[in-house]
Amino acid sequence: MAHQAHAYHMVDPSPWPLTGATAALLMTSGLAIWFHFHSLLLLYLGLTLLLLTMIQWWRDIIREGTFQGHHTPPVQKGLRYGMILFITSEVFFFLGFFWAFYHSSLAPTPELGGCWPPTGINPLDPFKVPLLNTAVLLASGVTVTWAHHSLMEGNRKEAIQALTLTIILGVYFTSLQAMEYYEAPFTIADGVYGATFYVATGFHGLHVIIGSTFLAVCLMRQIQYHFTSEHHFGFEAAAWYWHFVDVVWLFLYVSIYWWGS
Amino acid sequence: MAMAAFRWKLWSCGLSRLTASRTPAARVIARPMASTGIPTDEEQSTGLERKTLQAIKKGMDPYSIFKPKEYAGTKEDPHVVPATTDKRLVGCICEEDNTAIVWFWLHSGNPQRCPSCGSHYKLEHHELPH
């Protein structure tokens, strides 16, 4: 029983920050070892430790919040601030790649032929699969909002349906994008066009996978009755992240796929 | 009625509990879980969260979530300082925007006055919530 006069959560000691830091060390050094000595062992160790850290740390947070009731309103407020700050940092991450794209595309150098797309590059038709991808993500934004309202109204069946549909759309986007990558006539090594295209859309795709995973965890939790109609911040955080991913795609589509063609 | 409740929920989700007034909350979520499948906080909250929510429903704030009530600080209307022991530190910002905070121990018993501005403070004993 907590004998405290405040509503905050003083967390118990946990090993996961240490294992997470160790994983970061193994992944960075593992990358360097892979580059120079062709061994993937350290990298794999780091990735495994990272996966185990994430699973156990977030599992513990679910235990503390949902099962033990430590997530009082002020604690929840702090979690909201945290998620907003994190998403803001991700916005800046993508801003960098957009900067790189516009730097190269607004004033194409003579080496590129003085034009954008550069000479020899056949860009993807923005009105084919990329447009479908746009529709898929916009639709997923609608379904995740539907899921949220169902949750708030206490409608279990529709919340599960809408959340499942959102995840399906996310997976659909990822597979379409993977097929596009496979079929594209240019690679990441094709000058600054290829570099900016694949790094920006590639990191976006990674974020789609992360967001879909987050939503899938929420689906499992919703099925297991973790969420109440008033308190379901894990879901809200996943929905915020998903909307962020959608907005980044819209900027990518307009800038790189459409204007950049 | 249902429409109003729905619109209220749209705005409030998660945040209303932070801004709930200290008077008993006006909202009533009268939807049994069995009918639509998602539990309410009333049905499922536990631990400290449950205690804070139940207290807010009764208009109480044992965990000091909300801003303290404002008092005149006069002899008739002293600042009431809740405490779980016999004394508590008070930091008086005598005038707005003062940067020098006047710190002093407030003891149970007779009200004390801030050594700088003279506002009255009275310790009020509370049990440690448990």
Side-chain angles (χ1 to χ4, degrees), chain A residues 96-117:
Chain A
F97 297 121
F98 277 101
W99 183 355
F101 168 74
Y102 278 112
H103 174 94
S104 298
S105 59
L106 282 167
T109 60
E111 291 85 354
L112 304 173
C115 54
W116 193 275

Side-chain angles (χ1 to χ4, degrees), chain A residues 117-139:
Chain A
T119 309
I121 293 283
N122 294 315
L124 300 170
D125 186 344
F127 300 109
K128 294 221 160 69
V129 173
L131 187 58
L132 173 59
N133 271 343
T134 306
V136 167
L137 281 187
L138 285 173

